[in-house]
Structures are given as C-alpha cells and as structure tokens.
Amino acid sequence: MEPYLSQEELQEALCQRHSPEIQNKLNNARVAVAGLGGLGSNVAFALARIGVGHLHLVDFDRVDISNLNRQQYFIRHLGMYKTDALKEELQQINPYLDIRTDCVRVTEENLTELFRDDEIVCEAFDVPECKAMLVNGILEHFPDKPLVAASGMAGYGGSNEIRTRRVMKNFYLCGDESTEPAYAKGLMAPRVAICAGHEANMIVELIVDRK
C-alpha cells in the first residue's frame, strides 16, 4: 500500500528543495503542454515533480505500442487517451496539482480558446506542420505569452548539440534545429529526453525569473 502524504508534507518537502520563494512561484504557475508524446510527457513529468501548480495537458491521441520506446507510458496504458494516462501518472507524483486536460486536436480554429488562460505554452508536437501551426498561432494571437518549442532531437549522440535559443521576444526553441527522424535514427528516449529537459528547464526559468 502506498504511503499517504498530505499536501502540507509535500509542500514542505518542495520548499526545502527549492526555497519557499521559488516554490510559491512554481505553485502559482499555469503551463500548457501541447502534445503528450516523447517531449510532452517528459516535460510534464519534470514540471509535476517540482510542483508546478497548474498544468494543462492537450493531446487527441491514444497510447500505442510504438510510444513505449520514449514516452512516459506503460503497457497498462495501451489504448488509453494520453491525456487520461498522463494525468493518472502525474497524480501519483503529486495528487494536489491542478491538472486540466483537453483531449482534442489543436487547430487554427480552437487554438485561441484552448490556450487563453495559460501563462506559458510548451509546443511538443511530432509533426512539423502541427508545430508550425501552433507556433504561428500563439505568436499571432498571444504575442506576450511565452512559448517554448522544440526542433531537432532524433537519433543518438551529439548530446551537446541540443541547446536552448531565444528566437525572439517570448519565443524559445530547444533542440539541434536540424536532425530529423530517419532510418536507424528515429526518435529515441535518451536524446528526446534531453530536449524535453531543455524545454522544461526553460519553462522553469521563465516562471522563476518573471517579475
């Protein structure tokens, strides 16, 4: 049987690690993760573990066997919607987080309504056209909303080639910006997780350093 932890106990532990001042900012932050695959599921795990208080998970897909090589899901989740499976896992880390889910495909038509209430948006899609649509939509409709996106993380090796770059005001891009999936160099857990770590770390920096 799993030990029960009160919200106060979890908060005390987080404050001891991060300091009450920083943890208060993390508690109050509202972050959307669009796409819950190799990038998004790892980003969400990192943000949940440090106690980001309000997470908005967006994806329309179900967990498939091909996801298990790099995404934060287990065999028991096969066939489940990723929003439901990931929320279940995050609540095992911290049941007191405010986790909102939208099991929908992001489109140009619903983008503004979906991300209206989020303070920071993390782009974590696989398909380049979907990435471009989300990035362009957020930059157009929410120019003052920080956006963290990713490009280039396939294969293995070249860990230090993955970096975080500020493209323009409120737009940050993580990855090597060139490596695309190819035969024998597909999306693999270690390098994808490195890129996801960059995205999560950039989000934390934006939360903590904001005025």
Side-chain angles (χ1 to χ4, degrees):
M1 184 175 179
E2 296 181 2
Y4 175 79
L5 291 175
S6 68
Q7 186 172 13
E8 291 72 22
E9 288 173 313
L10 278 175
Q11 275 297 298
E12 182 179 355
L14 289 169
C15 287
Q16 286 178 350
R17 283 292 180 186
H18 307 145
S19 82
E21 296 80 12
I22 286 179
Q23 191 57 48
N24 185 58
K25 290 185 176 183
L26 295 171
N27 290 343
N28 293 321
R30 296 181 175 274
V31 180
V33 181
L36 305 179
L39 285 171
S41 63
N42 279 287
V43 169
F45 255 62
L47 299 181
R49 288 199 180 280
I50 62 170
V52 170
H54 306 274
L55 294 174
H56 182 193
L57 310 178
V58 183
D59 200 309
F60 68 93
D61 207 2
R62 294 177 184 267
V63 179
D64 180 81
I65 191 172
S66 64
N67 303 149
L68 300 181
N69 84 316
R70 68 194 185 283
Q71 303 181 19
Q72 290 287 358
Y73 303 107
F74 298 90
I75 289 174
R76 70 175 186 270
H77 294 130
L78 292 176
M80 288 181 63
Y81 284 113
K82 290 183 178 180
T83 46
D84 294 336
L86 192 58
K87 181 177 180 179
E88 172 192 286
E89 292 193 89
L90 299 184
Q91 288 177 327
Q92 290 293 304
I93 297 171
N94 187 338
Y96 305 106
L97 299 178
D98 170 37
I99 301 176
R100 171 189 166 196
T101 62
D102 273 303
C103 188
V104 296
R105 184 189 295 270
V106 179
T107 66
E108 293 179 0
E109 289 72 31
N110 66 15
L111 181 146
T112 53
E113 179 67 21
L114 273 175
F115 301 106
R116 180 187 58 194
D117 298 327
D118 302 306
E119 296 172 341
I120 299 171
V121 176
C122 175
E123 178 278 312
F125 290 150
D126 289 334
V127 181
E129 291 79 11
C130 296
K131 286 176 175 286
M133 179 271 297
L134 178 61
V135 168
N136 291 334
I138 296 296
L139 293 177
E140 176 185 353
H141 297 289
F142 305 108
D144 295 325
K145 195 185 296 287
L147 169 66
V148 180
S151 177
M153 70 218 67
Y156 54 90
S159 298
N160 294 334
E161 294 173 5
I162 293 178
R163 61 188 183 125
T164 301
R165 179 171 69 92
R166 184 179 183 182
V167 179
M168 61 181 70
K169 181 184 177 183
N170 293 326
F171 179 31
Y172 303 83
L173 189 62
C174 304
D176 65 20
E177 301 184 39
S178 62
T179 307
E180 297 181 357
Y183 181 75
K185 287 190 176 181
L187 294 168
M188 303 171 73
R191 208 160 188 262
V192 170
I194 291 171
C195 190
H198 272 257
E199 286 198 284
N201 197 50
M202 187 68 245
I203 290 167
V204 173
E205 184 177 339
L206 289 167
I207 293 169
V208 173
D209 290 347
R210 65 184 173 186
K211 303 302 182 181

